[in-house]
Amino acid sequence: MFSIEINSLSKSYGSFTAVDGIDLKVESGKIFGFLGPNGAGKTTTMKMLTTLIPPSSGTMNILGIDGTKSPLEIRKKIGVVLQQPSYEPTLSVEKSLEKYGMMWNVEKKIRKNRVEELLVAFDLVDIRKKKNDDLSIGQRRRVQVAREFMHDMELLFLDEPTVGLDPSARRSLLDFIKSKVKDGLTIFFTTHILEEAEYLCDDIAIINKGKIIAVDTPDELKNKFGRQKTIKIHVGTQQNISSLLSNIENCTIEHDSGVVITIHSGQSEQVLQDVLKILASNHIPVEDLSVVPTSLEEIFLSVVKNSNESNNSPGQ
Ligand SMILES: Nc1ncnc2c1ncn2[C@@H]1O[C@H](COP(=O)(O)OP(=O)(O)O)[C@@H](O)[C@H]1O
Ligand SMILES: [Mg+2]
């Protein structure tokens, strides 16, 4: 079963297309990561899916409801934490949670219990009496995310919820989200940090310039691109090595700093043999050598870079 199904969804502002015909399916009970650099169209997509702005074209079905026909029906069933801060300056932390629960008509006894549960889960107990105005940015963000869990929902949208959080708060938030998904919640989660998506998400879509450029599980993304290895070779002389290596296939070679050669390749063993042969026959000593798997972060950057290049190429 799918909680979200969208077909050729687009949003344009004048002649500028912020989201350009995207298709997506999000399975119920899973965490879906929506990953992309700043300006990619993540927030715009989220605003359409949460019925805050209407699409320019395309269709969307949220929890079995037609998104353009019955937006209010959808809003009753979802939770949304937007990217921009939202808080009442003079309200205390505990009152913020309490008030949010009242807004959603949560019964008093359940409300009280949830406030206590969330104060603990989001590490807010010590500051429960503090006013929002007196909190740090990270504390405010924690309150903003925590209060969304005051009400029942089937589907939760989180737009870069961890921005401004320190590493330990970030990790506890991600773990809290994981525990809620075990209880049956579906989550649509945007981030520009790949590591986070990898830790949290069952499926990941990568969006760049309004277009989806990859959809897969974190493991499959790694399989597809993860044969890539980075080879670093320190050589003992500063001569121009690039030209000697220019005929080696199946790799990209960077050689800027004189003594370090960096090579990216999906066929690292063959490439390494070829390089070492050439260095030896030219009497260039190798002082140090390492081969490491290209990180997912590098994969993400290279996928985005490739899509930028193919967009810019003539004829497209
Ligand atoms: N209301 C708007 N009017 C015009 N352009 C907008 C508006 N909202 C967003 N954009 C543009 O759409 C693009 C995508 O923005 P956004 O969805 O916020 O990206 P992300 O959340 O991935 O950083 C950006 O270039 C942004 O400047
Ligand atoms: Mg955004």
Side-chain angles (χ1 to χ4, degrees), residues 38-39 41-44 83 159-160 190:
N38 289 329
K42 301 183 295 297
T43 296
T44 306
Q83 187 171 10
D159 199 1
E160 309 228 14
T190 78

PDB file of all heavy atoms in Angstrom, residues 38-39 41-44 83 159-160 190, ligand 2:
ATOM      1  N   ASN A  38      20.551  22.498  -1.741  1.00  0.00           N
ATOM      2  CA  ASN A  38      19.693  23.664  -1.526  1.00  0.00           C
ATOM      3  C   ASN A  38      19.136  24.159  -2.848  1.00  0.00           C
ATOM      4  O   ASN A  38      19.844  24.215  -3.848  1.00  0.00           O
ATOM      5  CB  ASN A  38      20.475  24.790  -0.854  1.00  0.00           C
ATOM      6  CG  ASN A  38      20.793  24.462   0.593  1.00  0.00           C
ATOM      7  OD1 ASN A  38      20.016  23.763   1.255  1.00  0.00           O
ATOM      8  ND2 ASN A  38      21.929  24.914   1.056  1.00  0.00           N
ATOM      9  N   GLY A  39      17.843  24.475  -2.854  1.00  0.00           N
ATOM     10  CA  GLY A  39      17.220  25.018  -4.053  1.00  0.00           C
ATOM     11  C   GLY A  39      16.744  23.946  -5.015  1.00  0.00           C
ATOM     12  O   GLY A  39      16.241  24.245  -6.097  1.00  0.00           O
ATOM     13  N   GLY A  41      14.217  21.905  -4.820  1.00  0.00           N
ATOM     14  CA  GLY A  41      12.765  21.784  -4.957  1.00  0.00           C
ATOM     15  C   GLY A  41      12.121  20.929  -3.867  1.00  0.00           C
ATOM     16  O   GLY A  41      10.952  20.561  -3.965  1.00  0.00           O
ATOM     17  N   LYS A  42      12.867  20.640  -2.806  1.00  0.00           N
ATOM     18  CA  LYS A  42      12.363  19.775  -1.724  1.00  0.00           C
ATOM     19  C   LYS A  42      11.185  20.430  -1.002  1.00  0.00           C
ATOM     20  O   LYS A  42      10.125  19.827  -0.843  1.00  0.00           O
ATOM     21  CB  LYS A  42      13.485  19.470  -0.709  1.00  0.00           C
ATOM     22  CG  LYS A  42      14.695  18.793  -1.302  1.00  0.00           C
ATOM     23  CD  LYS A  42      15.735  18.444  -0.254  1.00  0.00           C
ATOM     24  CE  LYS A  42      16.374  19.637   0.447  1.00  0.00           C
ATOM     25  NZ  LYS A  42      17.142  20.514  -0.455  1.00  0.00           N
ATOM     26  N   THR A  43      11.385  21.658  -0.561  1.00  0.00           N
ATOM     27  CA  THR A  43      10.335  22.342   0.204  1.00  0.00           C
ATOM     28  C   THR A  43       9.102  22.578  -0.659  1.00  0.00           C
ATOM     29  O   THR A  43       7.970  22.383  -0.210  1.00  0.00           O
ATOM     30  CB  THR A  43      10.868  23.682   0.771  1.00  0.00           C
ATOM     31  OG1 THR A  43      11.920  23.386   1.692  1.00  0.00           O
ATOM     32  CG2 THR A  43       9.772  24.458   1.484  1.00  0.00           C
ATOM     33  N   THR A  44       9.315  22.963  -1.903  1.00  0.00           N
ATOM     34  CA  THR A  44       8.184  23.188  -2.812  1.00  0.00           C
ATOM     35  C   THR A  44       7.364  21.908  -2.967  1.00  0.00           C
ATOM     36  O   THR A  44       6.134  21.935  -2.915  1.00  0.00           O
ATOM     37  CB  THR A  44       8.698  23.664  -4.188  1.00  0.00           C
ATOM     38  OG1 THR A  44       9.535  24.811  -3.982  1.00  0.00           O
ATOM     39  CG2 THR A  44       7.555  24.029  -5.110  1.00  0.00           C
ATOM     40  N   GLN A  83      10.087  23.867   7.226  1.00  0.00           N
ATOM     41  CA  GLN A  83      11.493  24.229   7.373  1.00  0.00           C
ATOM     42  C   GLN A  83      11.671  25.502   8.207  1.00  0.00           C
ATOM     43  O   GLN A  83      12.571  25.582   9.024  1.00  0.00           O
ATOM     44  CB  GLN A  83      12.092  24.426   5.975  1.00  0.00           C
ATOM     45  CG  GLN A  83      13.578  24.648   5.974  1.00  0.00           C
ATOM     46  CD  GLN A  83      14.147  24.621   4.560  1.00  0.00           C
ATOM     47  OE1 GLN A  83      13.418  24.615   3.575  1.00  0.00           O
ATOM     48  NE2 GLN A  83      15.448  24.608   4.461  1.00  0.00           N
ATOM     49  N   ASP A 159      10.418  18.694   7.110  1.00  0.00           N
ATOM     50  CA  ASP A 159      11.298  19.403   6.175  1.00  0.00           C
ATOM     51  C   ASP A 159      12.579  19.833   6.881  1.00  0.00           C
ATOM     52  O   ASP A 159      12.588  20.778   7.657  1.00  0.00           O
ATOM     53  CB  ASP A 159      10.563  20.625   5.601  1.00  0.00           C
ATOM     54  CG  ASP A 159      11.218  21.137   4.311  1.00  0.00           C
ATOM     55  OD1 ASP A 159      12.216  20.521   3.863  1.00  0.00           O
ATOM     56  OD2 ASP A 159      10.737  22.142   3.761  1.00  0.00           O
ATOM     57  N   GLU A 160      13.649  19.124   6.617  1.00  0.00           N
ATOM     58  CA  GLU A 160      14.959  19.366   7.229  1.00  0.00           C
ATOM     59  C   GLU A 160      14.850  19.569   8.745  1.00  0.00           C
ATOM     60  O   GLU A 160      15.263  20.598   9.276  1.00  0.00           O
ATOM     61  CB  GLU A 160      15.628  20.587   6.574  1.00  0.00           C
ATOM     62  CG  GLU A 160      15.626  20.473   5.052  1.00  0.00           C
ATOM     63  CD  GLU A 160      16.968  20.770   4.407  1.00  0.00           C
ATOM     64  OE1 GLU A 160      17.981  20.808   5.127  1.00  0.00           O
ATOM     65  OE2 GLU A 160      16.981  20.934   3.182  1.00  0.00           O
ATOM     66  N   THR A 190      12.776  15.316   4.402  1.00  0.00           N
ATOM     67  CA  THR A 190      13.722  15.934   3.475  1.00  0.00           C
ATOM     68  C   THR A 190      15.013  16.296   4.205  1.00  0.00           C
ATOM     69  O   THR A 190      15.008  16.629   5.393  1.00  0.00           O
ATOM     70  CB  THR A 190      13.194  17.234   2.833  1.00  0.00           C
ATOM     71  OG1 THR A 190      13.319  18.288   3.780  1.00  0.00           O
ATOM     72  CG2 THR A 190      11.744  17.112   2.409  1.00  0.00           C
TER      73      THR A 190
HETATM   74 MG    MG B   2      13.925  23.571   1.646  1.00  0.00          MG
END
